Amino acid sequence: MLSESAAWLIVAYPALGAAVLLLGGRRTDRWGHYLGVATVLAAFIVGLSATLGQTGLAPDQRVQHTPLFTWLSVGELRVDVRLLLDPLSLTFVLLITGVGALIHIYSVAYLADDPRRRRFFGYLNLFVAAMLLLVLADDFVVLFIGWEGVGLASYLLIGFWQHKPAAAVAAKKAFVVNRVGDLGLLVAMMLMVGAFGSLDFDTVFAAAGSNGGTATAIGLLLLLAACGKSAQLPLQSWLLDAMEGPTPVSALIHAATMVTAGVYLITRSHEIYAAAPDARLAVALVGAATLLFGAIIGCAKYDIKQALAASTMSQIGYMMLAAGLGAAGYVLAITHLVVHGFFKAGLFLGAGSVMHAMHDEVDMRRYGALRAALPATFVTFGAGYLAIIGVPPFSGFFTKDPIIEVAFGTGGPLGLVLGTAALAGAGLTAFYMTRVLLLTFFGPRRWARQTHPHESPPTMLVPMVVLALGSAGAGLLLWLGGRMAGWLAPVLGEPVEAGTPHAAWGWTALVLSVVAAGVAVAWLQHARPTRQAGSWLVRAARRDLYGDAFNEAVVMRPGRALASWLAGPAERDLDRAVTGVGGTVARGAAVLRTAQTGYVRGYALWVFGGATLLIAAFLVGW
Amino acid sequence: MSPESYLYLSAVLFGLGAVGVLTRRNAIVVLMCVELMLNAANLAFVVFSRMHNGLDGQVFAFFIMVVAAAEVVVGLAIVMTAFRDRRSSSIDDANLLRH
């Protein structure tokens, strides 16, 4: 059993791996990917032993601060680098390192032919290390380092195939959109320093309770930050483009690391939101809007990875909605996040396996009838499918169903709106996932004659099987006896019963019938040959519901116009000032250059003149 | 004779040396003029030493002699080398560094 003082090893292992792989150069090409896998596995083992150590403790002792060193001390502000080990951060550590390790193993085979594989593993390790630092931080400054590190790593990974212009553009887009969100976190931190004089979690949370106005402002700014990382409205546009990166990256971003950061931030700051009901309402509304937005896009996409990405957006929307519902929702948000980590990673790795078999074809219109050619992929993908649409006893059922119930349980018109959105989202999820499954694995074969789909190597299949088992069983395991709620209680407070009347079976039946309706509609629609043209909604969804067009019209073009308007006079006057200074210096130099005759006597005369002047100055009495 | 007279002599010697440095082209003569200036300074130091009843000036004069000897060794070596190189000891010819 490792003591909590070894907690820094969790971050240090992957960070060390990234350093060795990125600084070591070509010397590490031959064994670099094994080191990448080993460091994440090592971090997982340390995290697991820390978790086992905590389960043996009494609940009130499960929050452990481990100081590392004092980073900076400026006036009143003092920033200590400390790690926070509590059930919430350890849950994330296990998810990040566990799912992350599986994705690493899968990548060994998936990128076997890529000449830059070693670099890829360096970036993956960096991603994992940054995310671990983010969740283990005990104050907002250290969290911010991890936050930015995740942004950097995602930029490097999305643009990993940099020879493709689309990948480079997507990486830049992800980075820029995330910066907008980061601005929220930065301003929130400034507010905290200004209002509370500290960035420490405990101090800030304690102070926020007594200051509703500031708490609301901070809460809204943190929501902006979370929107950037978790691809929520209005900062959702980078997520679909991020599919340009290699598929394991998509799995890592969507299941274990980046997009979970926003949900983590909101949940970690739940005491701020407790003091700011308005900000919490905003979280719930953003979540509800995004879950519908993502689900509608998912219904229309033909690119298998983009359909899954839209699904992630929608599922994260569920988590945000749950987090916005307050005490009853936080545990559900985290539990849904954990099981989503399993099934979404499994789905993405399955999609990667299909692409591997189909020579990187991503258009589902060229798939079809793959269940015979790829039986193992079909079964594992099927497990993820059943989990995400929420069929009992697969994991999604145990988290999505309660979220819908709690949303309805808010009561009043608000509860009706949020609940209906969540319920409609469940139906849409069933529809688009069934569509993906049917287009890919069923129906007539639509691939070219020279394509010979073949099952992936075991290095890829084993992680997929493990994730499929997780997708199938994790929900039941976590749900049994309120295990997850009890485990998270030291951080999130004792579980609160939802306000729903205890006709829970009625709600479940309603949700399941909506899901069944979604499946049925998809089945009926795809029993016939696919139609090319769709309604206006389908056409809009295929273009990401005009998210990019909106950004371009509202932000990019006015911004560019403003910049060029500002740049005109600035460039003219600045140019004049700069060339003026340069010209003066040049003219002065031309004058002084004539003094450089190269004659010793000339220089001696200067010396004499200077000395005479000095003596004269002394004599006059300056 | 009052000590001030020696100071005037020192000033005259210094001025002669300075004019020599500034006007003569032959490097040897320039070095000799520098020696003249140094000796003028030495004379002034000794006179001050006498006027103020201290030995500081005398000590300074000794130091200057030592430094001057060292300077002449280096300076003459340079002049010799330059002369061997270009058959001329005119300091106006030694302006290569300008180019």
Side-chain angles (χ1 to χ4, degrees):
Chain A
M1 209 72 2
L2 271 134
S3 69
E4 69 267 23
S5 59
W8 62 277
L9 285 173
I10 300 176
V11 184
Y13 278 130
L16 180 74
V20 169
L21 290 181
L22 294 178
L23 299 177
R26 293 182 194 286
R27 269 160 297 186
T28 58
D29 267 349
R30 284 182 50 212
W31 44 268
H33 44 282
Y34 296 120
L35 179 72
V37 173
T39 53
V40 178
L41 276 176
F44 176 70
I45 290 166
V46 178
L48 190 65
S49 70
T51 312
L52 291 176
Q54 285 220 343
T55 50
L57 296 174
D60 55 343
Q61 292 174 338
R62 281 189 195 154
V63 179
Q64 293 161 332
H65 305 270
T66 59
L68 295 182
F69 54 91
T70 300
W71 184 23
L72 48 93
S73 175
V74 186
E76 297 285 297
L77 181 67
R78 182 185 152 98
V79 178
D80 290 328
V81 175
R82 280 180 308 172
L83 298 184
L84 171 63
L85 265 75
D86 64 7
L88 181 60
S89 62
L90 283 175
T91 305
F92 272 87
V93 166
L94 289 187
L95 177 72
I96 296 161
T97 54
V99 175
L102 292 174
I103 293 170
H104 273 70
I105 294 170
Y106 177 94
S107 309
V108 172
Y110 191 84
L111 281 140
D113 300 328
D114 197 304
R116 295 164 74 231
R117 178 166 66 164
R118 183 253 323 162
R119 187 181 288 261
F120 181 79
F121 275 86
Y123 293 158
L124 277 191
N125 269 0
L126 181 67
F127 207 155
V128 169
M131 190 66 198
L132 287 169
L133 186 65
L134 195 164
V135 298
L136 284 171
D138 198 13
D139 60 66
F140 281 97
V141 181
V142 180
L143 181 140
F144 188 71
I145 302 172
W147 192 266
E148 290 299 304
V150 172
L152 169 69
S154 70
Y155 169 78
L156 294 170
L157 283 170
I158 294 169
F160 182 70
W161 285 328
Q162 54 198 207
H163 51 85
K164 292 197 324 199
V169 171
K172 199 170 72 181
K173 188 172 177 186
F175 196 75
V176 170
V177 174
N178 265 291
R179 306 277 36 218
V180 178
D182 296 348
L183 194 67
L185 186 53
L186 264 180
V187 178
M189 283 163 59
M190 291 172 195
L191 264 181
M192 288 172 201
V193 174
F196 314 134
S198 173
L199 288 165
D200 188 72
F201 279 159
D202 289 340
T203 322
V204 169
F205 295 156
S210 58
N211 195 338
T214 316
T216 307
I218 292 177
L220 289 173
L221 287 164
L222 291 182
L223 173 62
L224 177 66
C227 283
K229 277 281 175 294
S230 292
Q232 301 292 292
L233 287 174
L235 299 179
Q236 83 293 349
S237 62
W238 63 272
L239 191 71
L240 289 161
D241 291 24
M243 293 301 103
E244 289 296 333
T247 307
V249 174
S250 310
L252 196 59
I253 289 181
H254 286 252
T257 54
M258 187 130 167
V259 294
T260 62
V263 182
Y264 173 79
L265 183 68
I266 303 272
T267 317
R268 173 59 76 194
S269 315
H270 64 98
E271 288 175 57
I272 292 178
Y273 287 97
D278 294 339
R280 222 184 60 207
L281 176 65
V283 174
L285 289 175
V286 165
T290 312
L291 83 88
L292 284 178
F293 190 91
I296 291 171
I297 293 178
C299 292
K301 287 284 178 186
Y302 279 118
D303 180 325
I304 184 169
K305 282 176 73 183
Q306 290 209 342
L308 291 178
S311 151
T312 302
M313 197 189 288
S314 168
Q315 297 302 314
I316 303 280
Y318 270 107
M319 297 167 208
M320 294 291 258
L321 170 62
L325 293 173
Y330 293 125
V331 175
L332 293 175
I334 298 301
T335 319
H336 193 54
L337 197 154
V338 172
V339 297
H340 176 260
F342 281 108
F343 60 66
K344 189 48 64 70
L347 288 170
F348 264 113
L349 297 190
S353 177
V354 171
M355 285 162 60
H356 184 77
M358 303 296 286
H359 303 301
D360 288 331
E361 176 61 62
V362 290
D363 193 334
M364 292 189 287
R365 282 172 294 189
R366 306 224 175 83
Y367 290 170
L370 284 173
R371 70 180 182 284
L374 308 170
T377 305
F378 171 63
V379 171
T380 55
F381 197 90
Y385 161 77
L386 292 174
I388 192 173
I389 68 170
V391 172
F394 288 86
S395 59
F397 167 74
F398 295 98
T399 52
K400 195 184 288 179
D401 186 58
I403 290 177
I404 297 170
E405 284 174 36
V406 173
F408 273 117
T410 316
L414 179 68
L416 205 58
V417 170
L418 295 180
T420 313
L423 188 61
L428 286 171
T429 308
F431 173 79
Y432 68 71
M433 284 311 297
T434 311
R435 178 173 168 274
V436 168
L437 193 77
L438 291 177
L439 281 175
T440 307
F441 293 103
F442 292 87
R445 57 175 270 186
R446 294 183 294 275
W447 18 282
R449 197 144 297 281
Q450 64 269 27
T451 315
H452 298 289
H454 52 93
E455 192 57 273
S456 302
T459 345
M460 286 165 71
L461 285 180
V462 168
M464 286 158 62
V465 170
V466 175
L467 288 169
L469 290 176
S471 314
L476 190 63
L477 270 179
L478 296 175
W479 175 77
L480 269 183
R483 200 174 284 175
M484 198 66 181
W487 162 245
L488 289 172
V491 186
L492 300 175
E494 287 303 317
V496 183
E497 272 305 317
T500 35
H502 247 304
W505 287 111
W507 286 112
T508 306
L510 177 64
V511 173
L512 286 180
S513 51
V514 170
V515 167
V519 174
V521 171
W523 189 274
L524 287 176
Q525 199 180 44
H526 292 282
R528 284 171 289 156
T530 28
R531 292 166 302 162
Q532 292 299 316
S535 68
W536 63 271
L537 186 60
V538 175
R539 286 197 301 275
R542 240 166 241 156
R543 299 191 51 195
D544 306 346
L545 292 178
Y546 302 117
D548 283 342
F550 177 83
N551 282 348
E552 206 174 296
V554 174
V555 184
M556 202 185 91
R557 286 186 194 285
R560 197 178 269 177
L562 181 70
S564 60
W565 180 69
L566 286 174
E571 245 165 39
R572 209 174 46 239
D573 297 346
L574 273 181
D575 269 9
R576 199 176 293 158
V578 170
T579 50
V581 170
T584 313
V585 172
R587 277 190 299 278
V591 172
L592 286 177
R593 188 161 53 224
T594 56
Q596 303 296 318
T597 55
Y599 294 118
V600 177
R601 294 178 300 142
Y603 298 132
L605 186 61
W606 284 110
V607 175
F608 275 110
T612 315
L613 263 182
L614 271 179
I615 290 168
F618 272 118
L619 290 181
V620 173
W622 271 348
Chain B
M1 212 160 91
S2 73
E4 281 88 356
S5 313
Y6 291 100
L7 282 184
Y8 292 127
L9 175 62
S10 156
V12 169
L13 284 177
F14 192 88
L16 284 175
V19 170
V21 168
L22 289 178
T23 53
R24 302 304 295 263
R25 284 197 188 143
N26 191 317
I28 305 288
V29 179
V30 169
L31 277 179
M32 280 160 60
C33 291
V34 169
E35 289 300 310
L36 197 58
M37 290 162 70
L38 288 168
N39 277 326
N42 270 350
L43 182 58
F45 271 124
V46 173
V47 173
F48 287 138
S49 170
R50 173 85 175 203
M51 286 165 76
H52 295 287
N53 287 324
L55 281 175
D56 302 2
Q58 315 247 13
V59 175
F60 278 127
F62 273 116
F63 273 106
I64 289 177
M65 281 180 212
V66 173
V67 173
E71 176 237 311
V72 164
V73 169
V74 178
L76 272 181
I78 294 173
V79 170
M80 293 297 291
T81 316
F83 181 77
R84 208 176 290 162
D85 186 41
R86 46 180 58 204
R87 292 282 135 199
S88 152
S89 60
S90 164
I91 52 170
D92 283 0
D93 290 347
N95 61 353
L96 267 180
L97 279 182
R98 188 190 176 211
H99 303 294

